[in-house]
Amino acid sequence: MSTCRICEGPVKEFLDLGRQPLSDAFPEPGGTEGEFFFRLAVGLCASCTMVQLVEEVPREKMFREDYPYHSSGSSVMRAHFEATARRFLETELTGPDPFVVEIGCNDGVMLRTVSDAGVRHLGVDPSAGVAEVAREKGVRVRTAFFEEATALDIAATEGRADLVYAANTLCHIPYLDSIFRGLDALLKPDGVFVFEDPYLGEIVDRTSFDQIYDEHFYFFTARSVQAMARGFGFELVDVERLPVHGGEVRYTVARRGARTPSDAVDALLVEEETRRLADPATLDRFADAVARTRDELVALLERLRDEGRRVVAYGATAKSATVANYCGLGPDLIAYVTDTTPAKQNRLTPGSHIPVRGPEAFSAPYPDYALLFAWNHAEEIMAKEEDFRAAGGRWILYVPDVHLV
């Protein structure tokens, strides 16, 4: 696509990560024929500054019944969502019979706290498997894609919402025009839409190019979100930096004039302007840094292989699909990937076809080196795997640059 999905302005491509698979589709051994691939490239809109993919992957291919990611899989993320729910209960869900809707509720990790508090809620998620896990926790879920028609039906059957929330979900949805029409129908006049997603500023700072994959269609900044909100009759009224998932921003959006924007909005806008975050030259330098990371990571892994060192990877994440396929990593360089998700075990990584094994394989015996795909959980993982380090093992990281720990 050469025109912006938000404002129809011209989009200029600045990074091509090549032929990529569905990041969360793990084929069985011998079942790799017919794998879906697309070109993963990113561009900048010259008008509204929204950074976005230039090729859209059909949503039904990504968010299937067997979607394997569970938000509750990390103790850090469980604590984050529980704290988020408690905060909403204290701030936005205080009136008579409050009602909250979560777009992309996954396994219900946030809404469970809301449910336990006796507050009316509804999760909306298209992946039947994780939706059923949420129901087993006592969370009310509608298995569907959230869009204008969904929002209209919820408003008609459940009433209007005080709060609509989305975590690591809005950036997945190319059709934001339908989303905002739905929000206009669903939110009460003074209701708010709160969403948190990976922040482009952190991606550029850390050269964390693996945050770019099929599911992440948009890469938000305060400036681009402000332009997007205004275009749909809303206003950006607050921002908050979050440490999770490699650095995110939580954005709060309300109807124009309903709330006074906080000082934090202006502060982040000024910071982005000072950093020239929307300058094509800044993004071109980012693309050059990505290429250097690729070359250095491949050179290190090839040297270790030639020295007879045993290297495995840790965390069969969606992000790892981008790294493995862009860098050309395969079983010749990485013996296997260890992951705690049963649905991924005994399968192959998307596109690169590295075997995925359960966590018990990691210590039987320990490898010489472990490439940490799940780098955004580094502190949690390294504390858990202290015996690996005690046995002489070393971690390989590639964010913000290629280095050993």
Side-chain angles (χ1 to χ4, degrees):
M1 291 175 286
S2 59
T3 57
C4 177
R5 287 294 298 264
I6 301 296
C7 73
E8 299 186 347
V11 173
K12 181 185 177 184
E13 182 179 315
F14 62 85
L15 176 64
D16 184 350
L17 292 167
R19 186 171 177 263
Q20 293 281 344
L22 298 173
S23 61
D24 265 318
F26 291 77
E28 294 182 351
T32 59
E33 282 193 23
E35 245 184 315
F36 177 87
F37 287 89
F38 72 107
R39 188 172 76 92
L40 180 61
V42 196
L44 169 71
C45 175
S47 297
C48 72
T49 74
M50 183 68 76
V51 170
Q52 57 205 275
L53 298 189
V54 300
E55 185 171 327
E56 179 183 346
V57 176
R59 63 186 187 178
E60 293 83 3
K61 289 185 176 294
M62 295 184 288
F63 306 111
R64 310 169 308 279
E65 181 174 353
D66 61 347
Y67 186 66
Y69 179 74
H70 286 214
S71 299
S72 297
S74 161
S75 61
V76 171
M77 294 311 298
R78 285 198 303 274
H80 168 74
F81 287 122
E82 287 166 4
T84 298
R86 288 194 297 270
R87 176 172 167 177
F88 288 151
L89 290 168
E90 294 170 358
T91 57
E92 302 297 340
L93 303 174
T94 59
D97 191 27
F99 179 43
V100 56
V101 174
E102 182 176 5
I103 305 172
C105 67
N106 197 262
D107 62 6
V109 62
M110 193 283 288
L111 286 180
R112 181 175 185 174
T113 300
V114 174
S115 175
D116 289 347
V119 170
R120 271 201 317 131
H121 65 276
L122 181 67
V124 182
D125 201 292
S127 301
V130 292
E132 186 55 35
V133 173
R135 291 189 189 97
E136 291 170 359
K137 297 176 181 178
V139 173
R140 295 181 62 238
V141 184
R142 178 180 294 209
T143 303
F145 286 100
F146 186 93
E147 53 197 353
E148 182 181 9
T150 319
L152 286 167
D153 189 59
I154 294 171
T157 57
E158 307 270 355
R160 301 180 87 176
D162 299 86
L163 167 69
V164 176
Y165 174 66
N168 307 301
T169 299
L170 195 70
C171 69
H172 295 184
I173 306 174
Y175 49 92
L176 292 184
D177 52 343
S178 178
I179 296 294
F180 273 90
R181 289 195 300 271
L183 291 169
D184 192 39
L186 181 57
L187 282 172
K188 293 178 180 177
D190 60 346
V192 292
F193 175 43
V194 179
F195 65 98
E196 55 195 65
D197 281 296
Y199 179 51
L200 179 66
E202 291 284 358
I203 293 171
V204 170
D205 280 350
R206 300 182 186 214
T207 318
S208 53
F209 67 93
D210 57 351
Q211 295 274 36
I212 303 167
Y213 52 93
D214 56 343
E215 295 175 11
H216 287 178
F217 190 85
Y218 294 110
F219 302 89
F220 297 125
T221 63
R223 180 176 171 182
S224 64
V225 169
Q226 183 184 64
M228 172 181 71
R230 286 175 174 171
F232 295 121
F234 285 76
E235 187 173 14
L236 177 62
V237 296
D238 200 14
V239 294
E240 180 183 358
R241 302 288 284 267
L242 302 173
V244 296
H245 279 316
E248 297 193 333
V249 170
R250 177 179 289 160
Y251 305 92
T252 301
V253 171
R255 287 189 177 83
R256 193 173 298 164
R259 299 200 181 191
T260 302
S262 72
D263 293 341
V265 174
D266 281 340
L268 189 52
L269 289 168
V270 169
E271 178 185 326
E272 291 175 357
E273 180 63 27
T274 302
R275 294 181 52 197
R276 304 182 68 84
L277 192 53
D279 190 323
T282 301
L283 299 176
D284 287 341
R285 287 192 296 272
F286 166 69
D288 291 341
V290 170
R292 284 195 300 274
T293 295
R294 174 197 59 199
D295 295 345
E296 291 172 7
L297 180 59
V298 171
L300 172 61
L301 293 174
E302 288 179 342
R303 177 174 64 80
L304 294 175
R305 177 196 59 192
D306 295 345
E307 292 175 354
R309 306 292 186 180
R310 186 162 172 265
V311 180
V312 308
Y314 199 106
T317 61
K319 300 191 302 295
S320 68
T322 296
V323 181
N325 288 276
Y326 175 61
C327 297
L329 310 183
D332 60 320
L333 294 174
I334 299 172
Y336 64 85
V337 184
T338 179
D339 196 277
T340 58
T341 307
K344 298 178 183 180
Q345 294 164 10
N346 303 313
R347 291 177 173 260
L348 303 175
T349 57
S352 53
H353 304 158
I354 303 167
V356 181
R357 298 182 182 176
E360 67 283 351
F362 190 55
S363 59
Y366 282 119
D368 299 304
Y369 293 84
L371 175 62
L372 187 53
F373 282 143
W375 56 264
N376 50 310
H377 299 296
E379 185 176 348
E380 180 182 359
I381 290 169
M382 289 183 183
K384 174 185 171 184
E385 301 292 358
E386 182 59 34
D387 288 346
F388 166 61
R389 182 171 160 182
R394 302 186 74 184
W395 296 99
I396 302 171
L397 289 94
Y398 50 88
V399 175
D401 51 26
V402 178
H403 61 286
L404 299 175
V405 177

